[in-house]
Amino acid sequence: MIYGYVRVSTREQNEDRQLIALNEKKVPEKNIFIDKQSGKNFERPMYQRMLKKLRQDDLIYVKSIDRLGRNYEDILEQWRILTKEKKVDIVVLDMELLDTRKGKDLMGTFLSDIVLQVLSFVAENERKNIRQRQKEGIEAAKLRGVRFGRPKHQVPDDFEQICYRWESGEIIGKEAAQLCDMPLTTFYGRAKKRKEE
């Protein structure tokens, strides 16, 4: 059987590029497994489902090694499970040397193992670089005064009077929140803070 594995990191990302590559290899649509989550580990529902279906001599296509995963040691371990325990072949379409159907002799295995280790290292390193760039970007934005999180609701000028009307029972909390143009829970929180101050 021929299978294809596709992964994108978020639901917003598009998997079309990977699907086109698998379609060119005539992978049956019902045998394409798609995960929409991070590649930091292999606890992905569709990957696990594919793993259970695999039988000896099956073939898996994946567009690039980082679609399989981004953790160096995990990629090497999964590669070992797939090729040695499950005895399936893997073809990484972006890297001709990573085709376990070719060179089953000692030299072929040796070369593909070296390439796999280098590419797995690059994939994990890129993941670390992305995290570092995100962290640096957030820090730089904070220094420029960019605020993260939900914007704070401004307290209206007549907040004190609205609170007094609510506390005295003249209006209910929902009306008070509407008069302040804020959610009820925010109003309660602000009113409590005002009382404490």
Side-chain angles (χ1 to χ4, degrees):
M1 290 290 276
I2 299 174
Y3 294 95
Y5 181 69
V6 171
R7 184 186 66 78
V8 289
S9 298
T10 66
R11 296 202 171 278
E12 291 75 39
Q13 287 182 338
N14 193 312
E15 64 273 10
D16 289 352
R17 186 179 63 89
Q18 296 174 67
L19 290 172
I20 289 167
L22 296 180
N23 287 334
E24 286 172 1
K25 293 295 177 185
K26 307 280 190 273
V27 179
E29 200 173 310
K30 65 181 174 58
N31 289 355
I32 296 176
F33 293 83
I34 303 172
D35 277 312
K36 295 191 176 191
Q37 67 186 81
S38 165
K40 66 182 177 186
N41 63 45
F42 284 85
E43 298 306 312
R44 301 177 226 134
M46 297 310 283
Y47 180 81
Q48 292 300 322
R49 189 179 292 180
M50 179 184 73
L51 210 54
K52 286 177 186 165
K53 283 185 168 272
L54 293 172
R55 299 292 173 260
Q56 185 171 337
D57 297 324
D58 284 348
L59 172 63
I60 304 168
Y61 283 105
V62 64
K63 177 80 170 111
S64 57
I65 198 70
D66 67 341
R67 298 303 87 203
L68 196 57
R70 285 194 179 275
N71 180 302
Y72 176 68
E73 288 176 3
D74 286 351
I75 292 173
L76 296 179
E77 176 62 11
Q78 285 303 311
W79 192 273
R80 186 194 64 75
I81 289 168
L82 293 167
T83 58
K84 305 287 189 282
E85 289 180 20
K86 295 277 188 180
K87 294 181 173 29
V88 300
D89 281 311
I90 308 170
V91 175
V92 178
L93 296 172
D94 284 357
M95 180 55 62
E96 269 185 52
L97 286 171
L98 287 179
D99 181 343
T100 59
R101 299 170 304 175
K102 295 178 184 173
K104 295 241 182 201
D105 60 355
L106 188 60
M107 182 57 85
T109 304
F110 174 71
L111 283 174
S112 68
D113 283 352
I114 288 174
V115 172
L116 174 66
Q117 290 196 27
V118 169
L119 290 177
S120 302
F121 172 78
V122 168
E124 179 167 342
N125 208 42
E126 178 58 17
R127 184 168 150 252
K128 287 178 181 172
N129 287 340
I130 288 168
R131 278 205 308 260
Q132 183 62 32
R133 287 194 295 266
Q134 281 176 329
K135 184 180 171 192
E136 289 168 1
I138 290 168
E139 291 302 318
K142 283 181 179 176
L143 289 173
R144 289 193 316 270
V146 174
R147 295 180 63 105
F148 292 89
R150 292 183 184 171
K152 288 200 168 187
H153 287 277
Q154 292 299 317
V155 177
D157 295 335
D158 58 348
F159 186 70
E160 292 281 330
Q161 294 140 337
I162 294 169
C163 283
Y164 178 75
R165 289 176 63 198
W166 169 64
E167 287 165 355
S168 66
E170 186 184 326
I171 56 173
I172 61 170
K174 191 174 177 182
E175 288 176 276
Q178 285 174 339
L179 288 169
C180 293
D181 194 30
M182 59 178 65
L184 184 59
T185 52
T186 304
F187 171 75
Y188 286 147
R190 294 287 172 85
K192 182 182 175 189
K193 191 175 177 184
R194 173 191 151 272
K195 211 168 193 178
E196 287 169 356
E197 286 172 352

